Amino acid sequence: MTERFDCHHCNESLFGKKYILREEDPYCVKCFESLYSNTCEECKKPIGCDCKDLSYKDRHWHESCFHCFQCKNSLVDKPFAAKDEHLLCTECYSNEYSSKCLECKKTIMPGTRKMEYRGNSWHETCFICHRCQQPIGTKSFIPKDDQNFCVPCYEKQFAMQCVQCKKAITTGGVTYREQPWHKECFVCTACKKQLSGQRFTSRDEDAYCLNCFCNLYAKKCAGCTNPISAQEALSQYASTPLSDAHLPFTRTWRNKVHLF
């Protein structure tokens, strides 16, 4: 007696018929498709055994149903994008949803790098320094008058130059006699201590802290032989002749430094 060879589900004989094995159990095509075939997202019909099953994020399509939601062109073996559960070819997606480059006005295609600043977008190659015309990329830049500059170009074109070291002042500096200085460059001529925020005086265009000026240039008190300090009150030496008294340096408080 011939051994039976039946469908595991409906028990119909499979002799002379197509069948599919699943976990070593045979199924007729009809039973297999009704039990295990995926349903096409587009036409809602089972994807049969003789059809190619295309899948994306646990969703399935017939090959003929896998097309752009908008233009209906096939997406088989082509790049595509998803928006609100719909699949779109790159052209339709770009026209509908992609940003436009502020410089060249063209669409920034999906998958390409874009630069964003203050709500505007650029192609990476279009986001360039206004002065040297080189792409800025991820480097630091400085905007000015609706134009963007890389830091070296901005310093060359706009930054003030320190009168002492001749380098650009990129952070807080000081102005003395209408000339700009780095804070760290504006120092006492003698002891080299910073003068920003300190009292100082000048001699022959050179700036000095009070201690150095007193030690170097102040007259000596006839009574104690110490330099006549700018900080001592005249009333303490009322009986001393003016030429010998500890008088304040009148120029000391006339020198002004402006921070910027």
Side-chain angles (χ1 to χ4, degrees):
M1 183 175 178
T2 306
E3 185 178 354
R4 292 186 62 82
F5 185 59
D6 300 334
C7 172
H8 183 69
H9 182 68
C10 69
N11 295 322
E12 290 287 332
S13 175
L14 296 175
F15 280 114
K17 299 178 181 178
K18 288 183 179 180
Y19 65 92
I20 299 105
L21 286 176
R22 180 182 172 86
E23 298 177 356
E24 299 186 358
D25 295 323
Y27 292 83
C28 65
V29 173
K30 183 178 180 180
C31 288
F32 184 87
E33 289 182 348
S34 65
L35 292 172
Y36 302 114
S37 289
N38 295 307
T39 300
C40 176
E41 287 283 329
E42 180 69 14
C43 68
K44 309 305 180 186
K45 295 178 181 179
I47 301 174
C49 301
D50 56 346
C51 298
K52 184 180 287 188
D53 185 338
L54 302 179
S55 64
Y56 172 72
K57 291 188 175 181
D58 296 325
R59 300 162 66 197
H60 299 264
W61 290 263
H62 291 104
E63 186 175 14
S64 59
C65 294
F66 193 63
H67 52 69
C68 172
F69 175 76
Q70 191 158 314
C71 70
K72 306 305 180 184
N73 289 329
S74 174
L75 296 177
V76 177
D77 297 328
K78 295 180 180 178
F80 62 89
K83 181 71 174 179
D84 299 330
E85 301 299 317
H86 297 307
L87 303 184
L88 300 167
C89 65
T90 53
E91 184 175 354
C92 288
Y93 182 90
S94 298
N95 292 335
E96 192 73 22
Y97 301 109
S98 291
S99 304
K100 297 292 190 293
C101 175
L102 185 66
E103 180 67 21
C104 69
K105 312 305 180 186
K106 295 180 180 179
T107 299
I108 301 175
M109 299 297 289
T112 59
R113 293 188 64 180
K114 71 175 180 178
M115 315 304 293
E116 295 182 328
Y117 176 65
R118 290 184 176 176
N120 295 316
S121 301
W122 291 261
H123 292 107
E124 186 178 20
T125 54
C126 291
F127 190 63
I128 60 177
C129 170
H130 180 73
R131 188 171 188 267
C132 68
Q133 297 295 298
Q134 295 300 307
I136 294 173
T138 57
K139 295 181 291 186
S140 298
F141 67 94
I142 301 172
K144 183 176 177 62
D145 300 331
D146 296 325
Q147 297 169 339
N148 300 315
F149 296 82
C150 64
V151 174
C153 284
Y154 182 89
E155 291 179 354
K156 290 176 183 177
Q157 187 160 338
F158 299 109
M160 289 185 290
Q161 306 294 315
C162 175
V163 71
Q164 176 67 22
C165 69
K166 311 305 180 185
K167 295 181 180 179
I169 302 174
T170 56
T171 56
V174 299
T175 300
Y176 173 60
R177 290 186 174 176
E178 298 183 358
Q179 291 182 317
W181 305 66
H182 289 112
K183 286 183 179 181
E184 56 272 21
C185 291
F186 187 62
V187 297
C188 171
T189 303
C191 69
K192 306 305 180 185
K193 290 183 180 179
Q194 289 190 30
L195 296 178
S196 176
Q198 308 296 322
R199 287 182 174 181
F200 67 94
T201 189
S202 61
R203 180 184 175 92
D204 299 329
E205 303 299 321
D206 295 324
Y208 295 86
C209 66
L210 296 189
N211 287 337
C212 287
F213 188 89
C214 288
N215 291 332
L216 292 171
Y217 302 113
K219 292 182 179 181
K220 300 298 188 291
C221 177
C224 66
T225 70
N226 290 326
I228 299 175
S229 168
Q231 299 175 357
E232 297 184 52
L234 176 62
S235 59
Q236 293 178 303
Y237 301 91
S239 60
T240 307
L242 290 180
S243 59
D244 298 325
H246 286 238
L247 297 175
F249 297 120
T250 56
R251 285 194 299 169
T252 299
W253 289 276
R254 291 177 184 170
N255 292 318
K256 294 183 180 180
V257 172
H258 299 280
L259 302 179
F260 61 85

